[in-house]
């Protein structure tokens, strides 16, 4: 690990001039002027003058101190800067698993100290003499990958309580900016201008500015706060829309507001480790039990079907079998008891776990949040005793502070009992898998449960997948899939999820083995040593490369329009490679119409492929000695 720190503390009043902070490479610059800021990227303004600050309503608390009524309004309006701190950090860390085996964490940081009720020169305003301890910091970081800021409320002698009712944080964009708008986590994307009718858009939010620059707005390290989306403040300006208020006790850090930019859309994909860097390091000591892998859902909940699914996992090379909703009764009923298999089933969980263990397969179980909320402390030691590997949380409540805190506390509790977690439905990640790596993945995505079209699928890498893994629940044979088999096959390399579900609505056995191209799904791992997005445009196409050991896996996917793409190979170390190319061939007389072609190439020789409408291709590169 390499670490360089440079620290400066300034106590002189600095409110009369703006403070600037640039990224180590100088590409990003953020300027703070009081409670406003601007951001430039590559000498272009990407965030025009925008607002900072929070709204706080402490009327009940303040009345006890004799503070005049009405002083709570526009809480940040009279904050005065008292000083600043600057630091440079350059470290490299090794995640337990991920898209890259090593991650560099290199940034310049500026902390601006504000005090309430002061003019910045030591004079306290009338009406604040009984609460001079009110203070707030703005913490700003500039990385080569983007900029981020959050609000910090320092520790006070009496544990200051604050009721945050909203954020004033806004993002003013140049006129002509368009956004990939999505109102809910499993919704469809719509490209629209930053004006007119908006409700709230999900995060991450991808935008393209008139000069062509792509900008993404994200949220990081949201653990015990409320979810923030983006609403229209006015034409061409967005504002953080908190789901609800938040009650905090100092010291406290709000989530990071993150801005990333790129001349190419794939630059955003290649810089998304920034979200992990903005989270705390792993809090777990014992992590040997955390094992990413491939999973298969048992379609029927009978002993015969489950055991057959376990045998299929062993044969195909999967790591886990999952028992979905219904094993302990109707998931939506309070009376359903998740400590036992419902009496109408013909199996017990210990015998399922024992049989799976004999085959080297782990067991995941689905549990609705209704049962988790009622029985969590009873379930976790029992599931560990049974030999369960992980829990898929179902229909979680998301948005407000209560359920955000409950959910993340539940993940931490699961770790104590060596249980991995997959959160389903509306939850979207903010990088907490770094702190709690037993949180392998989550849904929060319009995947194969809704059977989206190819245009949606090639939008996801530039939007939803920027914030973390997505449990897309891949299908292959199901007749409702709108895309080609080559398109679906490529998802294993394009879509990152440490726990990757395959054949979600499929019944691949016993006829699945006539599809030779499924070797790509068997070979391609779920975590990698290196990942590079090679080319692509949101809603049009994506080409993603990933390395595991010395092998490289590449996925190419196109929208509902067919196209010819060129796969560059200069990312490969010098040498010769055997490459197996799996691509759609409508003229092929097979069930799935995917042709496997084996070639020998040298590094640097591009590969040209014709992708069918709604199609794709998967490539496996093996170095030759």
């Amino acid at each position: 690990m390499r670490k360089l720190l440079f620290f400066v503390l300034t106590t002189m009043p600095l409110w009369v001039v703006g403070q600037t902070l640039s990224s180590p490479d100088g590409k990003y610059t953020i300027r703070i002027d009081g409670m406003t800021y601007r951001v430039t990227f590559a000498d272009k303004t990407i965030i025009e003058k925008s607002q900072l600050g929070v709204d706080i309503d402490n009327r009940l608390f303040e009345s006890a101190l004799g503070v005049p009524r009405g002083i709570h309004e526009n809480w940040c309006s009279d904050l005065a800067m008292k000083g600043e701190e600057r630091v440079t950090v350059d470290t490299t860390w090794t995640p337990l698993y991920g898209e890259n085996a090593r991650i560099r964490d290199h940034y310049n940081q500026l902390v601006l100290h504000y005090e309430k009720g002061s003019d910045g020169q030591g004079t306290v305003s009338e009406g604040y003499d009984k609460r001079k301890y009110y203070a707030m910091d703005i913490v700003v970081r500039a990385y080569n990958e983007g900029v981020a800021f959050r609000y910090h409320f320092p520790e006070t002698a009496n544990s200051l309580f604050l009721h945050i009712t909203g954020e004033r944080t806004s993002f003013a964009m140049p006129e002509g900016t368009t956004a990939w708008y999505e109102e809910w986590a499993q919704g469809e994307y719509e490209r629209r201008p930053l004006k007119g009718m908006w409700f709230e858009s999900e995060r991450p939010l991808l935008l393209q500015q008139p000069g062509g620059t792509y900008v993404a707005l994200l949220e990081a390290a949201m653990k015990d706060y409320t979810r923030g989306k983006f609403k229209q403040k006015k034409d061409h300006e967005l504002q953080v829309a908190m789901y609800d208020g938040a009650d905090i006790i100092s010291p406290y850090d709000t989530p990071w507001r993150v801005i990333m930019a790129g001349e190419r859309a794939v630059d955003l994909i290649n810089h998304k480790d920034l979200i992990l860097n903005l989270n705390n390091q792993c809090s777990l000591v014992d992590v040997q039990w955390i094992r990413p892998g491939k999973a298969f859902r048992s379609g029927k909940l009978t002993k015969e079907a489950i055991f057959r699914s376990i045998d299929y996992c062993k044969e195909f090379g999967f790591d886990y079998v999952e028992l979905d909703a219904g094993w302990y009764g109707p998931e939506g009923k309070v009376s359903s008891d998740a400590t036992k298999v419902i009496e109408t089933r013909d199996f017990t969980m210990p015998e399922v776990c024992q049989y799976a263990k004999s085959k080297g397969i782990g067991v995941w179980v689905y549990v609705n949040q209704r049962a988790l909320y009622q029985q969590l402390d009873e379930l976790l030691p029992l599931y560990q005793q049974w030999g369960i590997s992980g829990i898929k949380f179902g229909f979680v409540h998301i948005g407000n502070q209560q359920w955000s805190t409950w959910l993340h506390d539940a993940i931490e509790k699961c770790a104590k009992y060596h249980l991995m977690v997959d959160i389903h439905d509306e939850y979207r990640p903010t990088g907490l898998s770094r702190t709690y790596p037993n949180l392998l993945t989550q849904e929060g995505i319009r995947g194969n449960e809704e059977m989206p079209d190819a245009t949606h699928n090639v939008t996801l890498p530039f939007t939803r997948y920027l914030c973390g893994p997505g449990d897309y629940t891949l299908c292959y044979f199901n007749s409702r899939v709108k895309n080609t088999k080559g398109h679906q096959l490529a998802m294993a390399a394009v879509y990152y999820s440490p726990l990757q579900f395959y054949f979600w609505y499929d019944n691949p056995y016993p006829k699945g083995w006539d599809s030779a191209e499924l070797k790509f799904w068997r070979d391609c791992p779920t975590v990698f040593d290196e990942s590079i997005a090679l080319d692509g445009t949101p809603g049009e196409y994506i080409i993603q490369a990933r390395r595991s050991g010395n092998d490289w896996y590449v996925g190419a996917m196109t929208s509902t329009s067919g196209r010819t793409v060129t796969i560059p190979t200069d990312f490969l170390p010098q040498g010769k490679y055997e490459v197996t190319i799996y691509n759609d061939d409508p003229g092929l007389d097979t069930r799935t119409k995917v042709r496997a072609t084996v070639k020998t190439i040298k590094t640097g020789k591009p590969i040209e492929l014709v992708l069918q409408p709604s199609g794709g291709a998967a490539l496996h590169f093996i170095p030759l000695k």
Side-chain angles (χ1 to χ4, degrees):
M1 174 183 290
R2 184 163 58 92
K3 187 170 186 178
L4 174 65
L5 297 176
F6 174 73
F7 181 84
V8 174
L9 172 64
T10 304
T11 57
M12 294 295 291
L14 298 169
W15 60 271
V16 293
V17 294
Q19 281 67 47
T20 62
L21 183 72
S22 295
S23 57
D25 64 3
K27 220 167 191 182
Y28 287 94
T29 297
I30 180 169
R31 179 182 178 88
I32 309 288
D33 290 287
M35 286 292 122
T36 67
Y37 76 103
R38 296 174 175 84
V39 179
T40 61
F41 168 74
D43 298 322
K44 290 178 286 189
T45 299
I46 58 171
I47 303 293
E48 299 175 349
K49 185 177 179 180
S50 301
Q51 296 298 307
L52 294 167
V54 296
D55 289 327
I56 293 174
D57 185 349
N58 268 22
R59 278 173 290 185
L60 293 177
F61 176 70
E62 291 167 357
S63 63
L65 298 176
V67 177
R69 291 180 60 84
I71 245 170
H72 63 281
E73 295 173 0
N74 196 3
W75 191 85
C76 290
S77 62
D78 61 348
L79 287 175
M81 192 182 299
K82 297 293 291 181
E84 68 170 42
E85 296 176 38
R86 292 179 183 267
V87 62
T88 293
V89 174
D90 190 359
T91 64
T92 301
W93 59 283
T94 302
L96 179 62
Y97 57 82
E99 298 179 79
N100 296 289
R102 291 177 66 78
I103 297 176
R104 187 180 184 185
D105 188 8
H106 187 196
Y107 60 88
N108 295 324
Q109 177 172 285
L110 169 66
V111 181
L112 300 175
H113 299 291
Y114 293 85
E115 183 178 284
K116 190 164 182 63
S118 169
D119 61 3
Q121 297 179 338
T123 302
V124 178
S125 303
E126 183 179 356
Y128 286 95
D129 56 317
K130 293 186 178 181
R131 55 175 191 158
K132 289 185 291 185
Y133 47 78
Y134 273 128
M136 184 182 80
D137 298 339
I138 298 180
V139 184
V140 188
R141 288 185 185 177
Y143 295 77
N144 295 342
E145 297 79 20
V147 297
F149 56 86
R150 68 180 176 187
Y151 308 107
H152 170 73
F153 296 90
E155 182 177 6
T156 59
N158 60 345
S159 299
L160 179 62
F161 168 85
L162 295 170
H163 177 59
I164 299 175
T165 58
E167 281 196 28
R168 295 192 168 235
T169 311
S170 70
F171 310 86
M173 302 280 179
E175 185 175 356
T177 299
T178 59
W180 278 262
Y181 178 86
E182 182 196 37
E183 287 192 356
W184 61 298
Q186 297 183 56
E188 299 180 71
Y189 288 97
E190 175 193 346
R191 193 169 184 184
R192 58 167 68 179
L194 293 189
K195 60 181 181 179
M197 294 298 295
W198 270 57
F199 174 59
E200 290 179 355
S201 188
E202 267 289 359
R203 74 276 189 269
L205 177 60
L206 175 68
L207 307 108
Q208 188 173 25
Q209 300 189 335
T213 302
Y214 290 93
V215 175
L217 305 179
L218 306 96
E219 182 178 51
M222 199 286 282
K223 183 177 185 293
D224 54 357
Y225 199 61
T226 72
R227 180 203 64 206
K229 290 187 179 182
F230 301 101
K231 66 182 179 182
Q232 191 90 339
K233 182 178 180 180
K234 60 183 179 181
D235 283 356
H236 321 304
E237 186 171 3
L238 300 171
Q239 183 176 353
V240 170
M242 289 175 56
Y243 182 94
D244 202 352
D247 293 318
I248 68 168
I249 299 177
S250 64
Y252 187 87
D253 291 301
T254 66
W256 293 98
R257 304 304 171 202
V258 187
I259 303 164
M260 297 170 58
E263 301 294 347
R264 304 185 309 155
V266 291
D267 295 339
L268 303 176
I269 300 174
N270 290 326
H271 292 163
K272 64 181 177 179
D273 280 342
L274 170 59
I275 302 303
L276 294 174
N277 279 332
L278 290 166
N279 279 265
N280 293 335
Q281 64 185 5
C282 178
S283 66
L284 310 182
V285 177
D286 177 15
V287 294
Q288 298 302 314
W289 52 275
I290 300 175
R291 295 186 301 112
K294 303 173 185 178
F296 177 74
R297 178 176 69 158
S298 180
K300 294 182 179 180
L301 294 175
T302 65
K303 182 175 180 179
E304 178 185 8
I306 294 168
F307 280 30
R308 187 183 186 190
S309 294
I310 292 170
D311 292 341
Y312 180 67
C313 288
K314 177 69 173 180
E315 186 177 2
F316 195 91
F318 289 158
D319 304 282
Y320 299 105
V321 68
E322 189 251 355
L323 277 61
D324 215 69
W327 67 268
Y328 64 89
E331 60 172 310
K333 288 192 174 183
V334 176
S335 59
S336 294
D337 182 0
T339 65
K340 60 183 180 180
V341 176
I342 191 171
E343 292 80 0
T344 54
R345 305 291 181 189
D346 65 347
F347 63 91
T348 66
M349 199 60 72
E351 67 180 339
V352 167
C353 292
Q354 183 178 2
Y355 184 75
K357 184 177 180 181
S358 73
K359 300 290 184 175
I361 305 299
V363 177
W364 282 70
V365 292
Y366 173 98
V367 183
N368 185 284
Q369 188 181 9
R370 182 182 289 276
L372 292 171
Y373 181 69
Q374 295 178 139
Q375 300 180 286
L376 186 67
D377 292 333
E378 184 182 4
L379 296 178
L380 299 185
L382 176 64
Y383 288 3
Q384 183 183 40
Q385 178 185 333
W386 283 349
I388 297 294
S389 299
I391 304 173
K392 188 173 85 170
F393 288 23
F395 287 100
V396 296
H397 295 283
I398 50 92
N400 68 17
Q401 185 180 25
Q402 173 193 347
W403 290 116
S404 294
T405 303
W406 179 89
L407 183 60
H408 297 131
D409 286 349
I411 294 167
E412 189 173 6
K413 284 185 178 181
C414 285
K416 295 179 182 178
Y417 294 94
H418 291 187
L419 290 164
M420 293 175 282
V421 176
D422 173 9
I423 303 172
H424 257 236
D425 304 298
E426 283 288 282
Y427 179 82
R428 280 199 166 172
T430 62
L432 286 171
S433 288
R434 178 184 181 184
T435 310
Y436 306 109
N438 62 311
L439 174 57
L440 289 187
T441 192
Q442 50 272 303
E443 192 178 15
I445 192 169
R446 190 176 184 84
N448 268 157
E449 287 192 347
E450 287 87 12
M451 298 297 181
D453 67 13
T455 298
H456 173 89
N457 288 342
V458 295
T459 301
L460 290 174
F462 305 95
T463 52
R464 164 61 181 85
Y465 279 99
L466 292 181
C467 66
D471 188 5
Y472 185 94
T473 55
L474 280 60
C475 290
Y476 200 72
F477 296 106
N478 192 277
S479 61
R480 294 181 293 131
V481 174
K482 296 182 174 71
N483 314 299
T484 70
K485 298 295 187 286
H487 185 97
Q488 298 294 116
L489 201 68
M491 290 178 178
V494 174
Y495 293 165
Y496 171 64
S497 182
L499 181 72
Q500 189 78 274
F501 275 90
Y502 292 91
F503 304 118
W504 183 252
Y505 285 125
D506 298 329
N507 182 11
Y509 49 82
K511 296 182 179 180
W513 294 107
D514 63 353
S515 302
E517 74 277 2
L518 289 175
K519 184 177 187 301
F520 185 80
W521 275 8
R522 292 198 297 273
D523 293 342
C524 186
T526 65
V527 295
F528 305 90
D529 298 314
E530 186 177 358
S531 297
I532 307 171
L534 300 175
D535 198 6
T537 302
E540 296 184 18
Y541 69 103
I542 178 65
I543 303 173
Q544 174 75 52
R546 302 191 189 272
R547 177 178 64 84
S548 177
N550 295 319
D551 288 16
W552 282 85
Y553 302 87
V554 175
M557 296 163 57
T558 186
S559 66
T560 52
S561 300
R563 72 186 69 242
T564 299
V565 297
T566 299
I567 313 291
T569 63
D570 50 3
F571 66 91
L572 297 168
Q574 287 297 317
K576 288 186 177 181
Y577 290 81
E578 178 186 272
V579 55
T580 304
I581 304 170
Y582 304 96
N583 196 6
D584 298 305
D585 183 349
L588 197 63
D589 187 20
T590 64
R591 178 187 179 194
T592 57
K593 299 187 183 302
V594 175
R595 183 180 295 278
T597 305
V598 180
K599 295 182 177 181
T600 299
I601 66 157
K602 289 183 178 180
T603 302
K605 181 177 176 60
I607 300 173
E608 188 174 277
L609 296 176
V610 176
L611 303 183
Q612 300 298 313
S614 301
L619 299 85
H620 183 185
F621 293 85
I622 302 174
L624 297 174
K625 294 182 180 180

